Amino acid sequence: MQEFDLVIVGAGVAGLTAATTAGRFGLRTAVVDRLGAGGQIVNAERIENLPGLAEGIGGFELGPLLQEQAEAAGAAFLLDDIEAIEADGAAWVVRGTEDSLKAPAVILATGSQPRTLGVPGEEEFRGRGVSHCATCDGPLFAGKTVAVVGGGDAALDEAAVLAAHAATVTVYLRAEAPRAQAILRQQAGERANLTLVGGATVEAITGGDGVAAIRVRRDGAVQEVPVEGVFVYIGTEPETGFLRGVVDLDPAGHVATDILMRTSRPGLFAAGDVRQHSVALLPAVAGDGATAAISAFRHLRGGR
């Protein structure tokens, strides 16, 4: 079993920022993630909400840069799927499928996964027309008819990405108007091949070898709409299944923390959109990571 001062579970923006901060404070730090550095941002075609980057940056560029910075600060990186976290006296054991790590402080930065619609056909056509990543799969739908489900930032941002490839993109949202940021609503309105349909509920996805249509309920009527791709952006669910019974979670499964990112258990901290009340914007997520690392450092020094 490898031992460290601090183990960080998750290599997204929060986890990597925490690793850099902890390393600069002299902590022997390990970052463990099942996929590698970057988290969900690697699928973002353009990130435009980070301070100082007026032209934006691709997610596939930002992830490696953050890892390089963390490694320069001394952090070690391990690929593993974490199955459990257990108390061992004053320390914590982080158990993965391949190895176990032990440390007196752990930062939980596991992030979230896309929420599913839970409608007939969604699982059946996953990877065959149903997707959660426009940056990954958008080029596959060049010249085709595509539907996007959702009305938040991710839905409109990814719809704009799809509009650069698809013949038409229709965004279906349950509310009458999108809740996304004003700049994203404006950009969507500037796309001639992008249409917003409010007050709509997607009830099923149908097809044969691939997606052929969606069943949409609107104004009390159900309509079969021909589409060749469906991209779902209806929010996320925190990756906290392995934490039930370990730390306090809110009803939605987010980790409860105070303003210093401390959880209900001494030595356990949480950062990023896995924690309760996170605004889930990258600048705030990075701030969470730095705060959690400093709190972990103070914990290891007896609260000083």
Side-chain angles (χ1 to χ4, degrees), residues 41-283:
I41 64 164
V42 299
N43 296 324
E45 183 169 279
R46 209 74 190 156
I47 296 168
E48 298 179 332
N49 62 354
L50 284 175
L53 297 175
E55 300 301 318
I57 186 172
F60 63 91
E61 299 174 272
L62 181 60
L65 286 174
L66 291 172
Q67 178 176 359
E68 181 180 341
Q69 188 177 28
E71 288 179 327
F77 281 79
L78 300 91
L79 284 175
D80 207 347
D81 192 0
I82 301 306
E83 298 180 329
I85 293 181
E86 304 164 354
D88 184 3
W92 293 94
V93 175
V94 180
R95 298 198 184 280
T97 57
E98 301 294 330
D99 202 357
S100 293
L101 310 174
K102 186 176 181 179
V106 174
I107 294 175
L108 307 167
T110 49
S112 303
Q113 288 296 314
R115 184 175 290 126
T116 60
L117 288 168
V119 302
E122 184 177 21
E123 283 301 317
E124 178 185 350
F125 293 108
R126 186 179 300 278
R128 295 191 296 127
V130 174
S131 174
H132 294 277
C133 182
T135 303
C136 313
D137 299 331
L140 301 176
F141 293 88
K144 297 183 178 182
T145 301
V146 173
V148 173
V149 185
D153 289 353
L156 264 61
D157 196 18
E158 298 291 84
V161 172
L162 287 167
H165 303 285
T168 62
V169 178
T170 304
V171 181
Y172 294 92
L173 48 146
R174 289 192 175 188
E176 291 300 326
R179 63 182 185 280
Q181 297 177 54
I183 184 65
L184 296 176
R185 298 198 303 270
Q186 176 185 330
Q187 290 172 353
E190 294 170 353
R191 301 273 185 173
N193 63 336
L194 197 161
T195 304
L196 303 183
V197 177
T201 302
V202 175
E203 296 187 337
I205 301 170
T206 62
D209 293 335
V211 170
I214 55 174
R215 195 172 301 136
V216 180
R217 179 178 296 276
R218 188 168 185 247
D219 296 330
V222 177
Q223 180 183 9
E224 198 89 1
V225 181
V227 298
E228 296 163 280
V230 181
F231 289 76
V232 180
Y233 301 100
I234 56 170
T236 59
E237 296 177 342
E239 289 270 32
T240 54
F242 69 103
L243 294 172
R244 296 192 181 279
V246 180
V247 294
D248 289 348
L249 306 176
D250 71 7
H254 297 91
V255 180
T257 69
D258 63 12
I259 61 172
L260 297 178
M261 308 300 135
R262 296 177 297 198
T263 73
S264 58
R265 301 290 296 275
L268 289 186
F269 306 84
D273 59 357
V274 74
R275 76 173 182 90
Q276 188 181 29
H277 303 313
S278 169
V279 297
L281 292 176
L282 291 188

